[in-house]
Amino acid sequence: MGLEQKTAQMGVVTTTLEQMVNWARTRSMWPMLFGLACCAIEMMAAQASSYDLSRFGMELMRASPRQSDLMIVAGRVSRKMAPVLRLLYDQMPEPKWVIAMGDCASCGGIFNNYAIVQGVDEVVPVDVYVAGCPPRPEGLIHGILTLHDKVQKEKLTKWA
Amino acid sequence: MVTLREVSVDELRHLVSERALTGETMLLNMGPQHPSTHGVLRLLLELDGEIVVNCIPDVGFLHTGVEKNMEAKTYQKAEVMTDRLDYLNPIGNNLVYCLAVEKLVGLDVPPRAQAIRVILAELTRIASHLLWLGTSSLDLAAMSTFLYTMREREMILDIFEMCSGQRMMTTYVRPGGLWRDVPVEFEAAVRRVLEVMPRRIDEYERLLTTNELFLDRTRGIGVITAEECVQWGISGPVARAAGLKYDLRKVRPYSGYEQYEFDVPTQSDGDVYSRYRVRVEEMRQSLRIIRQALDKLPYGPVRSNNRKFVPPPRSELGVSMEAVIHHFKLWTEGFMAPKESVYAAIESPRGELGVFLEGDGGPKPYRVHYVTPSFANLQIMPLLTRNHFIADVVGIIGSIDIVLGDCDR
Amino acid sequence: MAKANTEILEEAVRVIKERFGASEHRFRDEVTLIIPPENILEAAQTLKETFGFNVLIDETAVDYWPQQTPRFHVVYHLYSMPHNLILRLRVPLNGNAPHLETMEKVFPNANWKEREIWDMFGIVFDGHSDLRRILMPADWQGHPLRKDYPLGYEEVQFSFNAEEIDRRKPYAKS
């Protein structure tokens, strides 16, 4: 059965533009293929066989920031990396979201020292923080779903 | 703080050829964000068309200040930092640190703890090689291997989680033994890995070893000779692929590796393909070691009885005042180590991983230095990539199996 | 075999002590030779050529601040692949901005290790081919692993001071 027939049987669906756009945004949120440290390994595990992130329309990791919507900062950000990270963020097209994955990205974690940025929110604005050192793949998936919820609730007036 | 610094070619004048200054060759920046750099490695490539003339690695994007930070913590607490160095080999990092601490303070380790250490270290080696196999073949466009290897890797991570409660950063090996004994399900789970893995390794080999495309991308690429390996201090699979039969588990055994029977796989070509063959064979040898260690796993304590360095078991705390005092002293003050320095090394999945540890008579290490294989391996990138196509650089980075956390510390 | 190897080590220690004015220190079967800075290159050359210490496993430094003489020790770990021996060499260096001859001519892999020491301790290696910072950003001030360099500890947020720290924290704008 074709899609037209199916939707025709369902009749008319009414929704708001806001909901419609937000729904579309959450369903294909492409993350940037960008790992920093230990959390990147768990991010890879989240995409691989056992956890399979593609269930959420996120199997497509884009290596280029210009094609991605979501930056997952997976790991500790050093003072040397911070400007590069900001540059990557600036290169991403709007709308864009950031997940700080792991303790180091969220608050510096156990590395409270000269070399590590104490929380990536000093460099880029963060939408969702995922705790754990490193977070389990389930933790990352939960973080992504939380971000989806957040995006669902975004207001039309904010886009302008 | 967030400012990018412009680099002029004048700074790198001594590293590039004359032709780069006239603009005849091109300087191309690869990384720090690049899908195949396995983390945050930056390579500055001088290209003549598609041929690499010079390669200038720039590391330090993951410099974590671990060595400085460990100086501010007691010996036990500093161990937590070591997991995060080489994040594919956390148990190996713990192990080498504990070996150094044990050597510094003169601590004994019971045989059961040693055998479990060996089993876990070899499982880590397999897990690390699996991830390497997956990602490096992914770089060469063999996508499916990645999905298979990550499936098996989960089995091993489940065992770590069963033992320590954490999938990756276990901190399970402690100075003087282990955190606690392995659970009863441990043996069955490891047996299951032993049973499944040989078939699965054959499966990966069927995918890659005789694959025409894979051979084309790997044979004769990134060649290094055994002499160069010695000269540049390379160890591990990269050196063994060049024919250098050098494995720390054989030449300077630790944790009772001398009791186990295993071969050191070597190849003679020293190219990307040889490194692949060596690593795959190493996984089989690791399984052999695990099987032997598991078969004759001795019973007994898993922690040294030396209460000046190792906390007493939980059960004693309720009945013995002395145990409470020891526990309190160890976790508030830590133990004292002599004003001496030691060097301990293990064979990590990437090569010789050493710790230079210096005490100052107090409870905190005075200087910890990790001698890391990735740091040594990355240094030969200019040698390996010279006169290769830029597309092969990707395969070469994959083949030397770098972990930037290990390199930058 | 094992006996012959230890004999070679003893021989090497004796020769280096005699010829280069080194002193010896032993701890748990590990031999350390303390060599004056002006002789280190020749000593390493001799060890490499005569006694087969052909691998430089590691080169690092230790800072003994506030002590000034010596303030630094540069530590070399040499490995002899034919004899399976490890020897540690220590070179004491005085003052806050010390200089030392580079080991690059004897062991090429000292290149990066010396860059790291320069980066982390600020010890200048004379004759080094590429003495740039390696781990820290090129415009970084100071040498982090020196003992007089602060750890850069940031105050930890607890519920009683969370708001105050939050106000100071430089959050990024989108």
Side-chain angles (χ1 to χ4, degrees), chain B residues 3 5 11-12 14-15 56-61 63 65 67-69 71-72 102-106 229-234 244 246 251-252 338-344 352 356 358 365-372 374-376 378-379 407-409, chain C residues 25-28 30 32 48 54-66 73 75 77 79 81 84 86 88 90 106-113 115-116 120-121 129-136 138-139 143-151:
Chain B
T3 45
R5 196 175 146 274
E11 271 175 57
L12 307 165
H14 54 292
L15 295 171
I56 308 163
D58 182 7
V59 297
F61 288 96
H63 177 61
E67 288 176 5
K68 178 96 176 170
N69 219 338
E71 288 169 9
E102 282 152 11
K103 200 170 179 182
L104 186 66
V105 299
C229 285
V230 172
Q231 207 181 358
W232 287 91
I234 309 293
L244 198 67
Y246 175 62
V251 297
R252 276 180 275 153
K339 195 175 160 62
E340 293 285 353
S341 51
V342 291
Y343 176 78
E352 175 169 352
F356 169 67
E358 180 157 333
Y366 191 73
R367 172 93 173 97
V368 192
H369 180 65
Y370 260 78
V371 184
T372 50
S374 300
F375 194 71
L378 258 178
Q379 203 175 351
C407 175
D408 298 346
R409 300 181 296 279
Chain C
H25 178 78
R26 280 171 201 254
F27 178 69
R28 301 205 202 285
E30 289 187 6
T32 309
K48 185 182 181 183
N54 52 357
V55 184
L56 176 71
I57 298 178
D58 183 36
E59 179 175 352
T60 185
V62 187
D63 184 4
Y64 293 103
W65 183 81
H73 270 183
V75 185
H77 286 93
Y79 177 63
M81 209 169 262
N84 192 19
I86 290 186
R88 181 182 303 133
R90 273 172 178 268
V106 188
F107 298 105
N109 63 332
N111 187 329
W112 275 29
K113 296 186 195 287
R115 278 178 71 187
E116 191 192 327
M120 292 291 147
F121 290 93
S129 65
D130 182 26
L131 203 63
R132 293 176 295 140
R133 281 188 185 269
I134 184 166
L135 296 179
M136 301 308 292
D139 48 359
H143 301 283
L145 275 179
R146 286 191 172 198
K147 289 279 176 183
D148 53 354
Y149 189 95
L151 179 60

Side-chain angles (χ1 to χ4, degrees), chain A residues 33-111:
Chain A
L33 178 50
F34 172 54
L36 288 165
C38 336
C39 294
I41 308 297
E42 288 296 61
M43 189 168 78
M44 273 153 69
Q47 264 145 22
S49 342
S50 304
Y51 297 96
D52 196 11
L53 209 57
S54 52
R55 289 175 291 166
F56 308 102
M58 302 186 66
E59 74 273 34
L60 217 54
M61 297 287 268
R62 303 312 304 199
S64 164
R66 307 215 184 262
Q67 297 166 343
S68 42
D69 312 304
L70 169 65
M71 177 189 250
I72 302 177
V73 185
R76 46 196 188 248
V77 181
S78 69
R79 302 264 173 213
K80 193 172 179 178
M81 192 63 200
V84 182
L85 190 89
R86 179 70 205 194
L87 182 71
L88 288 170
Y89 179 78
D90 289 341
Q91 284 174 343
M92 282 164 63
E94 292 279 352
K96 51 191 172 187
W97 297 277
V98 178
I99 290 181
M101 180 185 180
D103 288 350
C104 303
S106 302
C107 63
I110 61 168
F111 301 110

Side-chain angles (χ1 to χ4, degrees), chain C residues 5-113:
Chain C
N5 282 348
T6 50
E7 274 167 15
I8 288 166
L9 186 67
E10 295 307 325
E11 170 93 28
V13 168
R14 195 177 53 77
V15 168
I16 299 296
K17 270 164 81 177
E18 270 172 20
R19 217 183 286 170
F20 301 106
S23 59
E24 182 192 343
H25 178 78
R26 280 171 201 254
F27 178 69
R28 301 205 202 285
D29 304 334
E30 289 187 6
V31 185
T32 309
L33 289 172
I34 300 159
I35 298 179
E38 57 274 15
N39 293 343
I40 178 65
L41 214 62
E42 284 175 64
Q45 190 81 44
T46 311
L47 284 169
K48 185 182 181 183
E49 279 159 14
T50 320
F51 300 102
F53 283 89
N54 52 357
V55 184
L56 176 71
I57 298 178
D58 183 36
E59 179 175 352
T60 185
V62 187
D63 184 4
Y64 293 103
W65 183 81
Q67 180 185 316
Q68 285 289 326
T69 47
R71 172 159 180 183
F72 295 101
H73 270 183
V74 175
V75 185
Y76 301 84
H77 286 93
L78 299 185
Y79 177 63
S80 160
M81 209 169 262
H83 308 304
N84 192 19
L85 295 168
I86 290 186
L87 186 61
R88 181 182 303 133
L89 309 178
R90 273 172 178 268
V91 179
L93 294 172
N94 300 335
N96 286 332
H99 285 250
L100 185 66
E101 196 73 17
T102 177
M103 189 56 91
E104 222 187 332
K105 292 153 201 154
V106 188
F107 298 105
N109 63 332
N111 187 329
W112 275 29
K113 296 186 195 287

Side-chain angles (χ1 to χ4, degrees), chain B residues 262-273:
Chain B
F262 64 99
D263 300 327
V264 180
T266 51
Q267 295 275 327
S268 53
D269 293 343
D271 56 1
V272 176
Y273 184 67

Side-chain angles (χ1 to χ4, degrees), chain B residues 38-297:
Chain B
H38 293 240
V40 281
L41 168 67
R42 177 169 169 248
L43 295 173
L44 200 62
L45 300 168
E46 187 191 342
L47 299 173
D48 182 6
E50 270 195 78
I51 307 284
V52 178
V53 182
N54 262 315
C55 165
I56 308 163
D58 182 7
V59 297
F61 288 96
L62 201 57
H63 177 61
T64 318
V66 168
E67 288 176 5
K68 178 96 176 170
N69 219 338
M70 280 169 87
E71 288 169 9
K73 294 182 184 292
T74 61
Y75 284 98
Q76 297 114 312
K77 289 174 189 167
E79 200 198 331
V80 181
M81 304 241 141
T82 63
D83 291 272
R84 280 99 183 149
L85 285 166
D86 179 351
Y87 37 82
L88 294 184
N89 180 29
I91 291 195
N93 289 341
N94 291 163
L95 179 59
V96 65
Y97 176 74
C98 291
L99 287 175
V101 173
E102 282 152 11
K103 200 170 179 182
L104 186 66
V105 299
L107 204 60
D108 59 306
V109 182
R112 182 173 171 87
Q114 296 213 358
I116 295 172
R117 282 179 177 189
V118 167
I119 295 173
L120 292 174
E122 293 304 316
L123 283 173
T124 318
R125 188 183 315 278
I126 296 173
S128 170
H129 281 348
L130 282 175
L131 192 95
W132 164 81
L133 185 61
T135 51
S136 71
S137 55
L138 189 64
D139 291 342
L140 299 174
M143 173 89 195
S144 49
T145 330
F146 175 72
L147 298 172
Y148 292 125
T149 55
M150 290 304 272
R151 178 184 63 188
E152 271 73 76
R153 192 168 181 271
E154 288 297 323
M155 281 171 61
I156 294 173
L157 293 187
D158 285 347
I159 294 175
F160 294 161
E161 193 179 2
M162 181 196 291
C163 295
S164 71
Q166 246 276 32
R167 279 155 56 86
M168 282 170 70
M169 306 307 166
T170 54
T171 323
Y172 186 61
V173 180
R174 300 282 169 93
L178 302 169
W179 173 48
R180 62 177 182 194
D181 206 346
V182 289
V184 280
E185 303 89 348
F186 176 75
E187 189 176 340
V190 179
R191 293 250 182 245
R192 170 129 185 81
V193 172
L194 289 176
E195 185 193 328
V196 170
M197 275 308 289
R199 286 204 308 272
R200 300 282 164 85
I201 295 173
D202 292 343
E203 203 176 307
Y204 314 142
E205 285 228 73
R206 271 204 299 281
L207 279 168
L208 294 173
T209 307
T210 52
N211 186 326
E212 202 65 33
L213 293 169
F214 187 72
L215 289 175
D216 276 354
R217 291 295 304 274
T218 54
R219 275 225 180 127
I221 305 290
V223 178
I224 187 164
T225 62
E227 291 78 52
E228 280 171 327
C229 285
V230 172
Q231 207 181 358
W232 287 91
I234 309 293
S235 51
V238 179
R240 288 195 282 275
L244 198 67
K245 197 163 181 157
Y246 175 62
D247 190 323
L248 256 70
R249 292 173 291 174
K250 286 280 188 201
V251 297
R252 276 180 275 153
Y254 52 91
S255 283
Y257 267 106
E258 63 276 7
Q259 308 161 28
Y260 309 114
E261 207 176 286
F262 64 99
D263 300 327
V264 180
T266 51
Q267 295 275 327
S268 53
D269 293 343
D271 56 1
V272 176
Y273 184 67
S274 308
R275 281 168 225 148
Y276 156 77
R277 291 296 295 269
V278 165
R279 290 209 177 89
V280 170
E281 193 51 40
E282 256 178 36
M283 285 200 268
R284 295 210 175 91
Q285 297 301 330
S286 291
L287 290 173
R288 248 176 97 184
I289 298 172
I290 295 169
R291 181 167 290 124
Q292 291 169 44
L294 201 61
D295 284 342
K296 53 181 180 188
L297 186 65

